[in-house]
Amino acid sequence: MTVEEFEEFYAQAVARLTGQLYVMTGDLQEAQDVVQEAFVKAWVRRGRLERDGQPEAWIRTVAWRLAVSRWRFRRRSADAWGRGSGEAEHIAPPDPDHVVLVDALRELPAQQRRTLTLHYLCDLTVEQIAGETGLSTSTIKTHLVRGRAALAHRLRDPRIEEAPDV
């Protein structure tokens, strides 16, 4: 991949990948950071990306792994700080400006959220998701079924009662 081809690829894919990682992580700033870092890593191996044939999938996977690594680091740091102070950890309530769907997605387990994002936002098949995540196709199907059911439950409006069968 030449410099010009990489720049064109970046221009076409950065917004889409950032949106996908935003849905996966629930944090726009984090998504922007990990996608940028993944593109920096891709720059070094841009010749191999073209041969692999799926540069966008490679960058998405790297960005996801970076996000997980950062989360683990922050979690370990918070745990270490929490052990030092005698205070209980306070978690702020969700920001009311966030979209209802993002809030519902945040409540899902990370693998369900990632699987739903890859399937519905990235338009990947079950087999493609299995290849990208390293999970079996049956596990991917299970995550999709459970994730959809959980979202349906979380997104239903309690003010609307179901009409009785006539």
Side-chain angles (χ1 to χ4, degrees), residues 5-17 39 56:
E5 290 171 334
F6 187 85
E7 288 174 350
E8 183 179 331
F9 167 63
Y10 174 84
Q12 292 175 354
V14 69
R16 181 172 49 251
L17 286 165
F39 268 106
E56 195 167 322

Side-chain angles (χ1 to χ4, degrees), residues 23-48:
V23 173
M24 287 182 199
T25 63
D27 183 336
L28 180 59
Q29 183 65 46
E30 183 73 8
Q32 291 169 333
D33 289 349
V34 296
V35 168
Q36 285 291 29
E37 193 171 337
F39 268 106
V40 169
K41 291 177 183 295
W43 174 260
V44 175
R45 59 176 287 143
R46 66 185 181 277
R48 288 180 286 187

Side-chain angles (χ1 to χ4, degrees), residues 114-126 129 140 144 148:
R114 182 181 184 200
T115 303
L116 288 169
T117 301
L118 291 172
H119 187 67
Y120 291 105
L121 193 62
C122 304
D123 288 328
L124 298 182
T125 66
V126 170
I129 296 169
I140 297 301
L144 287 172
R148 284 190 293 254

Side-chain angles (χ1 to χ4, degrees), residues 99-113:
V99 179
V100 173
L101 178 59
V102 173
D103 287 340
L105 284 166
R106 282 184 179 160
E107 294 176 18
L108 296 179
Q111 277 297 3
Q112 283 181 9
R113 184 173 58 240

Side-chain angles (χ1 to χ4, degrees), residues 100 150-163:
V100 173
L151 279 179
H153 176 73
R154 286 176 173 81
L155 295 177
R156 89 182 141 81
D157 190 346
R159 297 172 296 178
I160 300 174
E161 293 184 39
E162 291 191 24

